[in-house]
């Protein structure tokens, strides 16, 4: 007998929840009863005991509900335990699910302008977690398991097409029962309880939120909405990659669009920039680490080749590593000290003025003082 207790809420007349009771025992296999339940009300308990005794008489429902109500109330009111940090055993493993792009135990934000391939990149990461395949060169998950793609923008057929193309490019079969998709309408705050249930039922170890702007369900500039959104994602209990955008006409493209709490609440942020030719099936992307709670990672560059059939269906996607310093339009997104190092690598010794002139020719907007520092 499985009893699922969910959606807790405390009111003046007690602690309420949604209760779902099912069994695997024939001939009643399946749902026995579900509905709203007051964990503090003996009358509610008696009604459920009487109803279930009629359907499933050979079980001690009174004893079962006594345990259920006592344990649930205690767990809800006690909350998370207080832990002595001196007793915590440190893990020998790196704190990443997928090094360096997905931090373990928190939310990673990947942001970019539209059409840069960030959703495709996130799906490739999810496919690696599900299969163990090294789809993006040098990027291998630390553990494997089912993944969940939560989508506020597109539909299941589009993502299924992308998944099939990613697997074709990697030379692997599309895995069954490992990569799950859910089309979302409500905000992540409103849907968190249902999402947590699905994560538990499916054994999910990694989730993608696409995209953060729509998942908020409110003003992206609102600190309150953003904080509650990240709290909802944290409640999933698994690492999350949240895809975000930059404002279309923003002068500062180094941060995602919306409240500063997006950066404050995330454990890591990657900005993605892209260079592509119109009508060409190739995108070159650069990823720069703009926020990290641990070591700041160096920038990464990848060439994404996409094969499209005459019906405009995506049939294959492959990833190849490239050096950002060799990509016009992307090298300027590297940290300034790395841009300067690259200028010196190519030109030999230069004074500050010549370094600044060379950087400005590549689109750098800065000062003599910043280069001198």
């Amino acid at each position: 007998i499985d009893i699922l207790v969910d959606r807790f809420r405390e009111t003046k007349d007690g602690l309420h929840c949604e209760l779902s009771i099912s069994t695997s025992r024939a001939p009643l296999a399946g749902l026995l009863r579900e509905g709203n339940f007051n964990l503090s009300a003996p009358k509610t308990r008696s009604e459920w005991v009487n109803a279930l005794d009629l359907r499933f008489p050979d079980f001690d429902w009174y004893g079962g509900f006594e345990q259920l109500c006592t344990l649930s109330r205690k767990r809800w009111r006690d909350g998370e335990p207080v832990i002595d940090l001196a007793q915590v055993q440190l893990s020998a493993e790196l704190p990443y699910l997928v090094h360096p792009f997905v931090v373990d135990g928190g939310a990673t934000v990947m942001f970019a302008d539209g059409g840069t391939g960030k959703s495709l990149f996130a799906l490739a990461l999810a496919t690696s977690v599900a299969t163990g395949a090294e789809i993006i060169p040098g990027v291998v998950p630390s553990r494997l398991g089912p993944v969940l793609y939560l989508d506020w923008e597109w539909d299941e057929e589009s993502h299924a097409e992308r998944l099939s193309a990613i697997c074709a490019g990697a030379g692997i079969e599309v895995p069954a029962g490992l990569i799950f998709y859910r089309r979302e309408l409500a905000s992540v705050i409103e849907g968190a309880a249902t999402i947590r249930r699905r994560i538990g039922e499916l054994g999910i170890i990694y989730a993608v939120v696409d995209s953060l702007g729509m998942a908020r369900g409110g003003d992206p500039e609102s600190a309150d909405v953003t904080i509650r959104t990240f709290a909802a994602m944290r409640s999933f209990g698994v690492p999350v990659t949240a895809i975000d955008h930059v404002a279309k006409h923003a002068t500062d493209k180094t941060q995602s669009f919306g409240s500063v709490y997006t950066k404050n609440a995330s454990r890591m942020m990657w900005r993605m920039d892209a260079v592509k030719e119109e009508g060409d099936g190739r995108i070159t992307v650069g990823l720069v680490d703009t926020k990290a709670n641990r070591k700041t990672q160096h920038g990464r560059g990848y060439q994404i080749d996409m094969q499209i059939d005459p019906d405009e269906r995506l049939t294959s996607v492959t990833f190849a590593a490239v050096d950002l310093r060799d990509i016009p339009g992307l090298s300027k997104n590297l940290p300034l000290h790395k841009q300067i190092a690259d200028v010196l690598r190519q030109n030999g010794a230069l004074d500050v003025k010549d370094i600044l002139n060379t950087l400005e020719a590549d689109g750098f907007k800065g000062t003599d003082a910043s280069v001198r520092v």
Side-chain angles (χ1 to χ4, degrees), residues 8-83:
F8 288 86
R9 59 199 182 279
E10 195 146 19
T11 66
K12 62 183 180 181
D13 64 334
L15 178 61
H16 296 258
C17 68
E18 289 183 6
L19 204 60
S20 176
I21 302 178
S22 58
T23 181
S24 58
R25 187 187 300 178
L28 296 172
L31 181 68
L32 291 174
R33 197 168 199 240
E34 70 175 3
N36 293 319
F37 189 89
N38 187 342
L39 291 160
S40 307
K43 182 180 178 181
T44 305
R45 204 175 312 171
S46 297
E47 290 173 355
W48 278 65
V49 168
N50 292 336
L52 288 163
D53 266 336
L54 293 174
R55 295 204 62 197
F56 201 105
D58 58 337
F59 181 75
D60 179 12
W61 288 109
Y62 180 83
F65 275 103
E66 283 295 310
Q67 291 188 53
L68 168 73
C69 295
T70 301
L71 292 171
S72 297
R73 285 199 307 270
K74 178 174 173 53
R75 180 67 180 88
W76 171 257
R77 288 169 179 163
D78 285 352
E80 294 297 321
V82 175
I83 297 170

Side-chain angles (χ1 to χ4, degrees), residues 107-172:
T108 301
V109 174
M110 187 172 291
F111 66 97
D113 284 319
T116 54
K118 53 189 180 297
S119 296
L120 188 65
F121 196 89
L123 185 57
L125 290 174
T127 306
S128 284
V129 173
T131 64
E134 187 178 335
I135 294 168
I136 300 167
V139 178
V140 180
S142 61
R143 61 183 183 276
L144 308 182
V147 301
L148 178 62
Y149 200 104
L150 304 166
D151 180 32
W152 279 259
E153 295 194 358
W154 246 11
D155 56 62
E156 62 271 25
E157 185 174 339
S158 300
H159 284 288
E161 179 183 320
R162 286 180 162 194
L163 174 61
S164 178
I166 288 169
C167 291
I172 61 175

Side-chain angles (χ1 to χ4, degrees), residues 107-285:
T108 301
V109 174
M110 187 172 291
F111 66 97
D113 284 319
T116 54
K118 53 189 180 297
S119 296
L120 188 65
F121 196 89
L123 185 57
L125 290 174
T127 306
S128 284
V129 173
T131 64
E134 187 178 335
I135 294 168
I136 300 167
V139 178
V140 180
S142 61
R143 61 183 183 276
L144 308 182
V147 301
L148 178 62
Y149 200 104
L150 304 166
D151 180 32
W152 279 259
E153 295 194 358
W154 246 11
D155 56 62
E156 62 271 25
E157 185 174 339
S158 300
H159 284 288
E161 179 183 320
R162 286 180 162 194
L163 174 61
S164 178
I166 288 169
C167 291
I172 61 175
E173 294 290 330
V174 177
L178 286 174
I179 302 176
F180 297 95
Y181 172 91
R182 190 170 189 265
R183 187 167 180 261
E184 301 291 337
L185 296 174
S187 73
V188 71
I189 300 168
E190 296 166 312
T194 300
I195 294 169
R196 286 195 300 270
R197 180 184 293 189
R198 298 290 178 263
I199 286 172
E201 290 171 345
L202 298 170
I204 299 298
I205 70 164
Y206 173 53
V208 176
V209 171
D210 187 4
S211 64
L212 192 56
M214 292 185 179
R216 280 185 178 97
D219 181 6
E221 299 279 5
S222 167
D224 175 64
V225 171
T226 300
I227 291 169
R228 291 170 61 212
T229 296
F230 274 87
M233 292 192 295
R234 187 182 184 198
S235 76
F236 295 170
V238 298
V240 175
T241 292
I243 298 170
D244 205 3
H245 299 82
V246 293
K248 185 175 182 180
H249 302 295
T251 55
D252 180 12
K253 299 278 188 178
T254 63
Q255 300 299 332
S256 63
F257 177 63
S259 168
V260 69
Y261 279 97
T262 300
K263 183 173 184 177
N264 293 343
S266 62
R267 293 195 59 199
M268 177 173 253
M269 293 187 76
W270 287 92
R271 186 181 81 250
M272 178 183 283
D273 302 286
V275 174
K276 58 183 177 179
E277 296 293 332
E278 197 67 35
D280 191 3
R282 172 176 293 173
I283 302 176
T284 304
V285 299

